[in-house]
Amino acid sequence: MEVSLIYDLSLSELASLLVAWGEPAYRARQIWRGLYRNFWKTPEEFTNLPASLRKKLTESLLFNNLVPVTTLRSSDGETLKTLFRLQDGKAVETVLMKYDPSVAVHQAHRDHPGQGRRTVCISTQVGCAMGCVFCATGQMGFKRHLSSGEIVAQVMYFARQLLAQGEVITNVVVMGMGEPFHNYENTMSAIDRLNDRGGYNFGARRITISTVGLVPAIRRFAAEKRQVNLAISLHAANDELRDSMLPINKSYTIDELLAACRDFIAITGRRITFEWALVNGVNDTPEQAQLLARKLKGMLCHVNAIPLNPTDGYSGQATTRKHAEEFKEVLSRFGIPCTVRLRRGMDIHAGCGQLVSEY
Ligand code: SF4
Protein backbone atom coordinates (compact mmCIF):
# COMPACT_ATOMS: atom_id res chain seq x y z
CA MET A 1 0.00 0.00 0.00
CA GLU A 2 1.32 3.45 -0.86
CA VAL A 3 1.86 5.74 2.12
CA SER A 4 0.39 9.25 1.81
CA LEU A 5 2.76 12.09 1.16
CA ILE A 6 2.60 14.69 3.93
CA TYR A 7 2.76 17.53 1.38
CA ASP A 8 -0.53 16.25 -0.08
CA LEU A 9 -2.35 17.35 3.07
CA SER A 10 -3.83 20.78 3.69
CA LEU A 11 -3.44 22.19 7.18
CA SER A 12 -7.02 21.25 8.08
CA GLU A 13 -6.56 17.71 6.75
CA LEU A 14 -3.39 17.38 8.80
CA ALA A 15 -5.21 18.67 11.90
CA SER A 16 -8.07 16.15 11.36
CA LEU A 17 -5.56 13.34 11.02
CA LEU A 18 -3.80 14.31 14.24
CA VAL A 19 -7.08 14.60 16.11
CA ALA A 20 -8.03 11.12 14.82
CA TRP A 21 -4.73 9.90 16.28
CA GLY A 22 -5.70 11.42 19.65
CA GLU A 23 -3.22 14.32 19.35
CA PRO A 24 -4.08 17.95 20.11
CA ALA A 25 -4.95 19.90 16.97
CA TYR A 26 -2.26 22.54 17.68
CA ARG A 27 0.36 19.96 16.74
CA ALA A 28 -0.72 20.49 13.12
CA ARG A 29 0.61 24.07 13.17
CA GLN A 30 3.88 22.90 14.68
CA ILE A 31 4.30 20.34 11.91
CA TRP A 32 3.19 22.86 9.30
CA ARG A 33 5.83 25.35 10.38
CA GLY A 34 8.46 22.62 10.49
CA LEU A 35 7.63 21.64 6.91
CA TYR A 36 7.12 25.03 5.33
CA ARG A 37 9.23 27.42 7.41
CA ASN A 38 12.16 25.21 8.41
CA PHE A 39 11.93 22.83 5.43
CA TRP A 40 12.48 19.82 7.66
CA LYS A 41 12.33 16.69 5.59
CA THR A 42 12.33 13.85 8.12
CA PRO A 43 10.17 13.27 11.22
CA GLU A 44 13.36 13.06 13.33
CA GLU A 45 14.01 16.74 12.71
CA PHE A 46 10.77 17.65 14.53
CA THR A 47 12.37 17.69 17.95
CA ASN A 48 9.54 19.96 19.17
CA LEU A 49 7.20 16.95 18.98
CA PRO A 50 6.99 14.02 21.41
CA ALA A 51 8.95 10.95 20.30
CA SER A 52 5.73 8.92 20.11
CA LEU A 53 4.26 11.34 17.55
CA ARG A 54 7.46 11.38 15.52
CA LYS A 55 7.27 7.58 15.41
CA LYS A 56 3.64 7.69 14.30
CA LEU A 57 4.50 10.21 11.58
CA THR A 58 7.33 7.99 10.37
CA GLU A 59 5.05 4.97 10.18
CA SER A 60 2.06 6.70 8.62
CA LEU A 61 3.24 9.42 6.27
CA LEU A 62 5.86 9.84 3.60
CA PHE A 63 8.02 12.93 4.08
CA ASN A 64 10.36 12.67 1.18
CA ASN A 65 9.12 11.09 -2.02
CA LEU A 66 11.37 12.94 -4.45
CA VAL A 67 14.63 11.11 -4.79
CA PRO A 68 17.16 13.23 -6.68
CA VAL A 69 18.78 10.97 -9.28
CA THR A 70 20.89 13.45 -11.22
CA THR A 71 21.57 17.15 -11.03
CA LEU A 72 23.08 18.86 -14.02
CA ARG A 73 24.63 22.30 -13.79
CA SER A 74 24.96 24.55 -16.83
CA SER A 75 28.48 25.60 -17.74
CA ASP A 76 27.81 29.15 -16.51
CA GLY A 77 26.62 27.67 -13.18
CA GLU A 78 23.38 29.64 -13.35
CA THR A 79 20.96 26.83 -14.13
CA LEU A 80 20.54 23.61 -12.20
CA LYS A 81 18.30 20.84 -13.37
CA THR A 82 17.39 17.96 -11.11
CA LEU A 83 15.77 14.73 -12.20
CA PHE A 84 13.69 13.20 -9.40
CA ARG A 85 12.48 9.65 -9.13
CA LEU A 86 8.97 9.45 -7.66
CA GLN A 87 7.56 6.80 -5.35
CA ASP A 88 6.23 4.75 -8.28
CA GLY A 89 9.57 4.88 -10.11
CA LYS A 90 8.48 7.52 -12.64
CA ALA A 91 10.62 10.60 -13.12
CA VAL A 92 10.15 14.38 -13.34
CA GLU A 93 12.45 17.34 -13.76
CA THR A 94 12.69 20.60 -11.85
CA VAL A 95 14.92 23.51 -12.75
CA LEU A 96 16.47 26.27 -10.64
CA MET A 97 17.55 29.38 -12.54
CA LYS A 98 19.81 31.87 -10.81
CA TYR A 99 19.68 35.34 -12.32
CA ASP A 100 22.54 37.55 -11.13
CA PRO A 101 24.19 34.71 -9.22
CA SER A 102 26.69 37.08 -7.60
CA VAL A 103 23.85 38.89 -5.78
CA ALA A 104 22.88 37.23 -2.50
CA VAL A 105 19.12 36.80 -2.68
CA HIS A 106 17.57 36.58 0.75
CA GLN A 107 14.18 36.97 2.34
CA ALA A 108 13.83 40.70 1.66
CA HIS A 109 13.94 40.03 -2.10
CA ARG A 110 10.79 38.00 -1.85
CA ASP A 111 8.82 40.92 -0.55
CA HIS A 112 10.72 43.77 -2.22
CA PRO A 113 12.21 42.36 -5.41
CA GLY A 114 15.46 43.94 -6.45
CA GLN A 115 18.44 42.66 -8.33
CA GLY A 116 18.82 38.90 -8.49
CA ARG A 117 16.18 36.24 -8.88
CA ARG A 118 16.04 32.61 -7.91
CA THR A 119 13.36 31.03 -10.04
CA VAL A 120 12.20 27.44 -9.74
CA CYS A 121 10.46 25.85 -12.72
CA ILE A 122 8.22 22.99 -11.57
CA SER A 123 6.44 20.10 -13.28
CA THR A 124 2.77 19.18 -12.86
CA GLN A 125 2.59 15.89 -14.77
CA VAL A 126 4.77 12.97 -15.76
CA GLY A 127 4.81 13.37 -19.52
CA CYS A 128 2.10 15.43 -21.20
CA ALA A 129 -1.01 14.76 -23.28
CA MET A 130 -0.78 17.97 -25.32
CA GLY A 131 1.71 16.66 -27.86
CA CYS A 132 3.35 19.95 -28.86
CA VAL A 133 5.63 18.76 -31.63
CA PHE A 134 8.79 20.59 -30.57
CA CYS A 135 8.65 19.55 -26.92
CA ALA A 136 10.48 16.53 -25.47
CA THR A 137 7.77 16.05 -22.82
CA GLY A 138 5.06 16.14 -25.47
CA GLN A 139 6.99 13.59 -27.50
CA MET A 140 6.98 11.11 -24.57
CA GLY A 141 3.17 11.19 -24.13
CA PHE A 142 1.12 11.36 -20.94
CA LYS A 143 1.99 9.07 -18.01
CA ARG A 144 0.14 10.53 -15.04
CA HIS A 145 -0.78 13.67 -13.09
CA LEU A 146 1.40 14.70 -10.18
CA SER A 147 -0.38 15.03 -6.85
CA SER A 148 -0.50 18.45 -5.22
CA GLY A 149 2.12 17.24 -2.73
CA GLU A 150 4.47 16.11 -5.48
CA ILE A 151 4.20 19.59 -7.00
CA VAL A 152 4.80 21.32 -3.65
CA ALA A 153 7.71 19.01 -2.78
CA GLN A 154 9.68 20.22 -5.82
CA VAL A 155 9.56 23.76 -4.45
CA MET A 156 10.48 22.61 -0.96
CA TYR A 157 13.49 20.72 -2.31
CA PHE A 158 14.98 23.85 -3.85
CA ALA A 159 13.91 26.05 -0.92
CA ARG A 160 16.00 23.72 1.25
CA GLN A 161 18.95 23.81 -1.15
CA LEU A 162 18.93 27.60 -1.28
CA LEU A 163 18.48 27.94 2.47
CA ALA A 164 21.77 26.09 2.90
CA GLN A 165 23.35 29.02 1.02
CA GLY A 166 21.36 31.62 2.96
CA GLU A 167 19.11 32.29 -0.05
CA VAL A 168 15.43 32.00 -0.94
CA ILE A 169 13.31 31.26 -3.97
CA THR A 170 11.95 34.51 -5.41
CA ASN A 171 9.77 33.18 -8.24
CA VAL A 172 8.00 29.96 -9.14
CA VAL A 173 7.08 29.22 -12.74
CA VAL A 174 4.76 26.33 -13.52
CA MET A 175 6.33 25.63 -16.89
CA GLY A 176 8.05 22.28 -16.43
CA MET A 177 6.75 18.93 -17.61
CA GLY A 178 3.02 18.78 -18.21
CA GLU A 179 0.09 21.09 -18.88
CA PRO A 180 -0.89 22.56 -15.51
CA PHE A 181 -4.50 23.27 -16.55
CA HIS A 182 -4.92 19.60 -17.51
CA ASN A 183 -4.14 18.87 -13.83
CA TYR A 184 -6.09 21.87 -12.60
CA GLU A 185 -7.22 20.78 -9.13
CA ASN A 186 -3.85 19.48 -7.99
CA THR A 187 -2.00 22.47 -9.41
CA MET A 188 -4.30 24.95 -7.64
CA SER A 189 -4.14 22.99 -4.36
CA ALA A 190 -0.36 23.12 -4.59
CA ILE A 191 -0.47 26.89 -5.16
CA ASP A 192 -2.82 27.32 -2.20
CA ARG A 193 -0.36 25.40 -0.04
CA LEU A 194 2.58 27.53 -1.21
CA ASN A 195 0.53 30.69 -0.55
CA ASP A 196 -0.54 29.70 2.95
CA ARG A 197 0.33 32.57 5.30
CA GLY A 198 0.96 30.28 8.24
CA GLY A 199 3.28 28.15 6.13
CA TYR A 200 5.52 28.95 3.19
CA ASN A 201 3.69 32.25 2.58
CA PHE A 202 4.87 32.56 -1.01
CA GLY A 203 3.01 35.38 -2.78
CA ALA A 204 0.77 34.43 -5.68
CA ARG A 205 2.14 37.39 -7.66
CA ARG A 206 5.51 35.66 -7.72
CA ILE A 207 4.02 32.57 -9.36
CA THR A 208 3.42 32.20 -13.10
CA ILE A 209 1.40 29.43 -14.69
CA SER A 210 1.98 28.64 -18.32
CA THR A 211 -0.69 26.96 -20.41
CA VAL A 212 -0.85 25.87 -23.99
CA GLY A 213 -4.36 27.28 -24.13
CA LEU A 214 -7.09 25.15 -22.56
CA VAL A 215 -9.77 27.78 -23.01
CA PRO A 216 -12.36 26.52 -20.45
CA ALA A 217 -9.61 26.32 -17.80
CA ILE A 218 -8.42 29.84 -18.62
CA ARG A 219 -11.98 31.07 -18.08
CA ARG A 220 -12.23 29.16 -14.80
CA PHE A 221 -8.87 30.56 -13.70
CA ALA A 222 -10.03 34.09 -14.55
CA ALA A 223 -13.25 33.64 -12.57
CA GLU A 224 -11.26 32.54 -9.53
CA LYS A 225 -9.42 35.89 -9.64
CA ARG A 226 -6.18 34.57 -8.29
CA GLN A 227 -3.19 36.90 -8.20
CA VAL A 228 -1.13 34.30 -10.08
CA ASN A 229 0.38 35.41 -13.41
CA LEU A 230 -0.69 33.74 -16.62
CA ALA A 231 1.52 32.86 -19.57
CA ILE A 232 0.24 31.38 -22.82
CA SER A 233 2.38 29.21 -25.09
CA LEU A 234 1.27 30.74 -28.37
CA HIS A 235 4.11 30.10 -30.84
CA ALA A 236 2.11 30.80 -34.02
CA ALA A 237 -0.13 33.62 -35.22
CA ASN A 238 -2.34 31.73 -37.68
CA ASP A 239 -4.34 28.55 -37.13
CA GLU A 240 -2.75 26.55 -39.92
CA LEU A 241 0.73 26.95 -38.46
CA ARG A 242 -0.42 26.58 -34.85
CA ASP A 243 -2.38 23.40 -35.73
CA SER A 244 0.86 21.91 -37.03
CA MET A 245 2.84 22.81 -33.90
CA LEU A 246 0.32 22.55 -31.06
CA PRO A 247 -2.46 19.98 -31.56
CA ILE A 248 -4.60 21.71 -28.89
CA ASN A 249 -5.21 24.44 -31.47
CA LYS A 250 -7.55 22.06 -33.31
CA SER A 251 -9.83 22.20 -30.26
CA TYR A 252 -9.50 25.94 -29.53
CA THR A 253 -8.55 28.29 -32.33
CA ILE A 254 -6.25 31.26 -31.83
CA ASP A 255 -9.21 33.67 -31.90
CA GLU A 256 -11.05 31.65 -29.23
CA LEU A 257 -7.89 31.54 -27.14
CA LEU A 258 -7.23 35.27 -27.47
CA ALA A 259 -10.88 36.04 -26.63
CA ALA A 260 -10.44 34.10 -23.38
CA CYS A 261 -7.18 36.00 -22.77
CA ARG A 262 -8.90 39.36 -23.27
CA ASP A 263 -11.61 38.32 -20.82
CA PHE A 264 -8.94 37.20 -18.33
CA ILE A 265 -7.31 40.63 -18.53
CA ALA A 266 -10.68 42.41 -18.19
CA ILE A 267 -11.62 40.36 -15.11
CA THR A 268 -8.27 40.33 -13.32
CA GLY A 269 -6.52 43.46 -14.62
CA ARG A 270 -3.42 41.31 -15.00
CA ARG A 271 -1.00 41.38 -17.92
CA ILE A 272 -0.57 38.17 -19.91
CA THR A 273 2.74 36.89 -21.21
CA PHE A 274 2.77 35.13 -24.58
CA GLU A 275 5.54 32.59 -24.98
CA TRP A 276 7.05 32.14 -28.42
CA ALA A 277 9.70 29.50 -29.20
CA LEU A 278 11.44 30.96 -32.25
CA VAL A 279 11.91 28.25 -34.87
CA ASN A 280 14.14 29.13 -37.78
CA GLY A 281 12.15 29.87 -40.94
CA VAL A 282 8.89 28.69 -39.35
CA ASN A 283 7.52 31.26 -36.90
CA ASP A 284 10.38 33.77 -36.71
CA THR A 285 9.43 35.51 -39.97
CA PRO A 286 8.35 39.17 -40.37
CA GLU A 287 4.96 37.88 -41.63
CA GLN A 288 4.33 35.95 -38.40
CA ALA A 289 5.49 38.92 -36.33
CA GLN A 290 3.12 41.28 -38.16
CA LEU A 291 0.20 38.89 -37.86
CA LEU A 292 0.93 38.44 -34.17
CA ALA A 293 1.15 42.19 -33.60
CA ARG A 294 -2.26 42.67 -35.23
CA LYS A 295 -3.82 39.90 -33.13
CA LEU A 296 -2.42 41.30 -29.88
CA LYS A 297 -3.21 44.94 -30.64
CA GLY A 298 -4.52 46.80 -27.61
CA MET A 299 -3.97 43.91 -25.22
CA LEU A 300 -2.24 44.26 -21.85
CA CYS A 301 0.45 41.77 -22.73
CA HIS A 302 4.08 41.02 -23.28
CA VAL A 303 5.74 38.62 -25.72
CA ASN A 304 8.52 36.43 -24.41
CA ALA A 305 10.42 35.03 -27.38
CA ILE A 306 13.08 32.41 -26.89
CA PRO A 307 15.07 30.55 -29.54
CA LEU A 308 13.84 26.95 -29.79
CA ASN A 309 15.57 24.30 -27.71
CA PRO A 310 15.98 21.64 -30.42
CA THR A 311 14.77 18.11 -29.57
CA ASP A 312 15.46 14.75 -31.23
CA GLY A 313 11.82 14.27 -32.24
CA TYR A 314 11.43 17.56 -34.12
CA SER A 315 13.36 18.76 -37.14
CA GLY A 316 12.97 22.50 -36.41
CA GLN A 317 16.04 24.47 -35.44
CA ALA A 318 16.60 27.54 -33.30
CA THR A 319 16.21 30.94 -34.89
CA THR A 320 19.24 33.07 -35.63
CA ARG A 321 20.09 36.15 -33.58
CA LYS A 322 19.33 38.31 -36.63
CA HIS A 323 15.86 36.83 -37.13
CA ALA A 324 15.13 37.10 -33.42
CA GLU A 325 16.03 40.78 -33.42
CA GLU A 326 13.94 41.45 -36.53
CA PHE A 327 10.99 39.64 -34.93
CA LYS A 328 11.26 41.84 -31.86
CA GLU A 329 11.67 44.94 -34.00
CA VAL A 330 8.41 44.29 -35.88
CA LEU A 331 6.50 43.85 -32.63
CA SER A 332 8.05 47.02 -31.20
CA ARG A 333 6.93 48.97 -34.26
CA PHE A 334 3.37 47.90 -33.47
CA GLY A 335 3.81 48.84 -29.80
CA ILE A 336 3.85 45.26 -28.50
CA PRO A 337 6.48 44.80 -25.77
CA CYS A 338 8.74 41.87 -26.52
CA THR A 339 11.76 40.36 -24.83
CA VAL A 340 14.07 37.93 -26.57
CA ARG A 341 15.40 35.73 -23.80
CA LEU A 342 18.72 34.02 -23.75
CA ARG A 343 18.60 30.28 -23.91
CA ARG A 344 19.40 29.26 -20.39
CA GLY A 345 21.00 25.94 -19.62
CA MET A 346 21.22 24.71 -23.20
CA ASP A 347 24.19 22.54 -22.31
CA ILE A 348 22.14 20.72 -19.67
CA HIS A 349 19.04 20.15 -21.80
CA ALA A 350 16.99 22.75 -19.93
CA GLY A 351 14.03 22.42 -22.31
CA CYS A 352 11.36 20.56 -20.36
CA GLY A 353 11.42 16.78 -20.60
CA GLN A 354 14.79 16.46 -22.26
CA LEU A 355 16.54 14.97 -19.24
CA VAL A 356 13.71 12.56 -18.43
CA SER A 357 13.69 11.40 -22.06
CA GLU A 358 17.33 10.44 -21.73
CA TYR A 359 16.70 8.81 -18.36
S1 SF4 B 1 5.04 22.41 -24.36
FE1 SF4 B 1 3.99 22.10 -22.40
S2 SF4 B 1 1.89 21.60 -23.02
FE2 SF4 B 1 3.16 21.29 -24.85
S3 SF4 B 1 3.71 19.12 -24.80
FE3 SF4 B 1 5.36 20.27 -23.74
S4 SF4 B 1 4.82 20.16 -21.61
FE4 SF4 B 1 2.98 19.65 -22.75
Side-chain angles (χ1 to χ4, degrees):
M1 192 189 79
E2 280 199 2
V3 181
S4 301
L5 176 63
I6 193 158
Y7 297 108
D8 276 329
L9 302 177
S10 65
L11 179 59
S12 62
E13 286 165 342
L14 181 61
S16 304
L17 183 67
L18 290 166
V19 169
W21 289 352
E23 297 285 342
Y26 70 82
R27 293 278 185 221
R29 284 221 167 266
Q30 288 179 298
I31 296 173
W32 203 250
R33 292 180 72 86
L35 289 173
Y36 293 110
R37 292 280 168 100
N38 304 324
F39 312 127
W40 290 336
K41 65 174 196 286
T42 62
E44 295 79 57
E45 286 171 278
F46 290 75
T47 49
N48 53 343
L49 302 178
S52 57
L53 179 53
R54 293 206 298 268
K55 184 164 178 286
K56 183 88 177 153
L57 288 170
T58 307
E59 290 164 357
S60 313
L61 291 168
L62 190 65
F63 274 64
N64 195 8
N65 74 326
L66 296 182
V67 180
V69 178
T70 323
T71 295
L72 301 181
R73 186 182 288 266
S74 62
S75 48
D76 57 14
E78 295 180 14
T79 305
L80 285 172
K81 180 176 221 177
T82 299
L83 182 140
F84 294 106
R85 196 176 58 242
L86 303 165
Q87 206 187 353
D88 61 0
K90 295 194 166 51
V92 287
E93 307 171 353
T94 311
V95 179
L96 170 67
M97 291 162 282
K98 296 184 173 189
Y99 299 85
D100 302 316
S102 59
V103 176
V105 173
H106 25 72
Q107 188 64 30
H109 279 73
R110 245 174 69 168
D111 311 320
H112 304 286
Q115 229 192 342
R117 267 183 295 149
R118 302 293 177 263
T119 301
V120 174
C121 175
I122 56 174
S123 296
T124 53
Q125 297 176 318
V126 182
C128 183
M130 298 298 126
C132 306
V133 295
F134 50 80
C135 166
T137 306
Q139 288 159 15
M140 80 179 68
F142 176 70
K143 311 287 185 220
R144 72 166 171 88
H145 294 306
L146 294 188
S147 72
S148 61
E150 288 171 327
I151 299 169
V152 168
Q154 296 169 61
V155 179
M156 293 302 108
Y157 177 87
F158 279 107
R160 211 173 282 130
Q161 301 280 309
L162 285 172
L163 182 69
Q165 299 153 30
E167 294 200 321
V168 295
I169 297 171
T170 59
N171 299 77
V172 170
V173 294
V174 192
M175 295 185 184
M177 295 174 69
E179 161 55 54
F181 281 173
H182 183 212
N183 186 14
Y184 195 91
E185 307 288 345
N186 290 346
T187 300
M188 295 309 152
S189 297
I191 286 174
D192 290 343
R193 221 152 294 145
L194 296 174
N195 288 160
D196 185 87
R197 282 176 181 272
Y200 190 45
N201 193 21
F202 195 85
R205 287 164 190 262
R206 323 227 76 206
I207 300 175
T208 301
I209 293 190
S210 174
T211 176
V212 77
L214 300 182
V215 166
I218 293 171
R219 295 198 176 282
R220 177 177 173 185
F221 186 64
E224 289 173 1
K225 292 192 183 168
R226 294 169 180 273
Q227 300 288 305
V228 174
N229 302 302
L230 181 64
I232 306 285
S233 293
L234 194 59
H235 307 303
N238 61 308
D239 284 322
E240 194 185 350
L241 179 58
R242 198 163 190 266
D243 281 354
S244 72
M245 297 173 79
L246 297 95
I248 191 69
N249 200 67
K250 292 175 187 149
S251 303
Y252 309 106
T253 62
I254 294 176
D255 286 347
E256 287 170 315
L257 172 58
L258 294 182
C261 290
R262 285 180 199 280
D263 290 346
F264 171 88
I265 294 165
I267 292 168
T268 65
R270 302 194 71 75
R271 185 180 76 158
I272 288 186
T273 298
F274 291 101
E275 304 283 346
W276 198 276
L278 289 160
V279 187
N280 198 24
V282 176
N283 65 354
D284 64 348
T285 59
E287 295 75 32
Q288 278 291 305
Q290 280 170 21
L291 201 50
L292 175 64
R294 288 200 186 96
K295 295 241 179 228
L296 300 186
K297 193 160 180 264
M299 256 173 123
L300 182 62
C301 70
H302 181 263
V303 175
N304 224 346
I306 180 166
L308 177 81
N309 243 323
T311 53
D312 289 344
Y314 178 58
S315 59
Q317 293 301 312
T319 189
T320 59
R321 182 173 286 268
K322 182 169 172 286
H323 285 172
E325 276 162 13
E326 285 168 1
F327 186 88
K328 179 179 171 169
E329 173 57 32
V330 172
L331 289 179
S332 304
R333 272 209 311 275
F334 282 83
I336 309 286
C338 172
T339 310
V340 177
R341 286 190 292 155
L342 296 170
R343 275 183 294 176
R344 298 186 66 87
M346 270 293 284
D347 53 338
I348 59 163
H349 306 301
C352 90
Q354 287 177 298
L355 186 55
V356 168
S357 296
E358 282 180 12
Y359 174 70

